[in-house]
Amino acid sequence: VNEAERGRWNDERRARSWPKRERLTATLVPYLLRAAALRCGERVLDVGSGGGRSTIEAARAVGPDGLAVGADFSEPLTRLALERAAAAGVENVRFEVVDVQTDRVSGAPFAAAISLFGVMFYESPADAFANIRSHLEPGGRLVFVCWRSAQENPWFLGPSLAAFVPPPPAPDPGKSLPGPFSLADPERTTAVLGEAGFAGVRRTGHGVEVEGPEDAVLDDDQLALLGIPPERLPEARAAALEHLRPLRLPSGALRFPLAFQVFSAVSRGGPTRAR
Ligand SMILES: C[S@@+](CC[C@H](N)C(=O)[O-])C[C@H]1O[C@@H](n2cnc3c(N)ncnc32)[C@H](O)[C@@H]1O
């Protein structure tokens, strides 16, 4: 399950480039925490915790009597998260390397599951959200941030690189195509959450502009991870630069319009969906 994504997120090039990339999205941690409304003493699960910034902030929000557990199947990003938690001196935080679509995370039941862009990469989203829900107390909250559409996020290089990479394979029957925009459609995402046993789904759309350097989205590691073969890197880089030109500021930095949405829902209670 999720083998291709597991490989991508464990690739050393991803581990090298992610700290550059997350400078954009780390600015959105407050949107996640505000919606999650964590209380002192709560136990919270951070799904797809990556380099752990949101997990560490969640641990601070629940205080020393609470616990934040970050779950992620990327070993290099989890190592980074552990280093950051140690450097921050935050003690009520743990990280586990697990596939959250299928595996158990220790520390359940949690009062809340949160995620900053960590829930879009599953082969079977309804199974994955049902597994997440099985870690929650009855009535427990799910709050996550995910992207709105690719068209609303012009910093995403995918469309400019389509000529250099083979089209993605169709998903196997009954499976979904994972990717950053897989939860962009609010109606479909609401239906998936309902199928996974969540109720009271709410969604708010947001847009913010963040200024940052070009290598937040573009360098050779990131191009290679998007599937560009080494011999086509120069052409692909030129196409990507042209795509980013409208975002370029006189200073040389880029203005990244980030269009995202925050979903929240509560666990309906009762047994989880049969697998
Ligand atoms: C876009 S990154 C977000 C990371 C972090 N939350 C942040 O905002 O910087 C997506 C994360 O989800 C993790 N991930 C994707 N699918 C997963 C799965 N099935 N199980 C566990 N982690 C997964 C990836 O390894 C990656 O760290």
Side-chain angles (χ1 to χ4, degrees):
V1 176
N2 296 318
E3 273 315 308
E5 287 297 325
R6 184 194 309 274
R8 261 192 279 283
W9 289 101
N10 277 281
D11 189 311
E12 284 303 325
R13 292 168 299 187
R14 174 67 77 191
R16 269 201 306 267
S17 59
W18 188 251
K20 302 179 189 174
R21 173 70 172 63
E22 68 170 0
R23 284 172 296 185
L24 301 183
T25 46
T27 60
L28 307 182
V29 171
Y31 287 83
L32 175 66
L33 292 189
R34 214 174 296 135
L38 298 174
R39 291 186 283 270
C40 282
E42 284 189 327
R43 298 164 82 83
V44 55
L45 171 63
D46 188 8
V47 178
S49 45
R53 289 197 188 285
S54 50
T55 329
I56 292 168
E57 289 310 316
R60 288 191 170 120
V62 295
D65 293 335
L67 175 71
V69 179
D72 200 295
F73 63 11
S74 168
E75 296 198 8
L77 292 182
T78 301
R79 277 199 299 276
L80 174 62
L82 285 165
E83 285 165 19
R84 285 176 171 166
V90 176
E91 290 182 355
N92 58 330
V93 68
R94 284 210 321 257
F95 292 96
E96 290 189 16
V97 177
V98 287
D99 185 329
V100 294
Q101 177 171 326
T102 49
D103 298 344
R104 293 300 300 170
V105 184
S106 54
F110 295 94
I114 61 170
S115 182
L116 186 70
F117 300 108
V119 287
M120 298 97 82
F121 305 95
Y122 308 127
E123 281 179 5
S124 175
D127 285 328
F129 281 111
N131 190 43
I132 292 166
R133 179 181 157 247
S134 75
H135 289 76
L136 292 177
E137 295 168 355
R141 292 113 65 204
L142 170 71
V143 179
F144 63 86
V145 175
C146 65
W147 295 116
R148 284 158 56 194
S149 68
Q151 295 72 33
E152 294 167 287
N153 283 286
W155 51 268
F156 178 63
L157 297 181
S160 66
L161 301 175
F164 305 98
V165 288
D172 289 341
K175 303 268 176 79
S176 298
L177 204 55
F181 301 104
S182 64
L183 299 180
D185 178 346
E187 266 181 44
R188 183 172 172 273
T189 299
T190 301
V192 166
L193 293 174
E195 202 188 327
F198 287 97
V201 179
R202 295 168 67 167
R203 176 254 178 212
T204 50
H206 300 270
V208 299
E209 291 197 343
V210 175
E211 192 177 321
E214 179 185 299
D215 69 2
V217 296
L218 176 59
D219 63 15
D220 284 353
D221 281 340
Q222 291 175 81
L223 288 176
L225 286 162
L226 286 164
I228 309 294
E231 67 281 8
R232 303 205 72 183
L233 280 177
E235 289 172 89
R237 171 174 275 278
L241 282 172
E242 181 56 24
H243 179 81
L244 293 174
R245 197 163 49 82
L247 309 184
R248 182 84 58 189
L249 296 166
S251 64
L254 296 174
R255 177 191 54 83
F256 295 95
L258 307 180
F260 61 98
Q261 48 195 343
V262 182
F263 280 92
S264 58
V266 290
S267 170
R268 270 206 299 264
T272 51
R273 173 176 181 267
R275 304 199 52 196

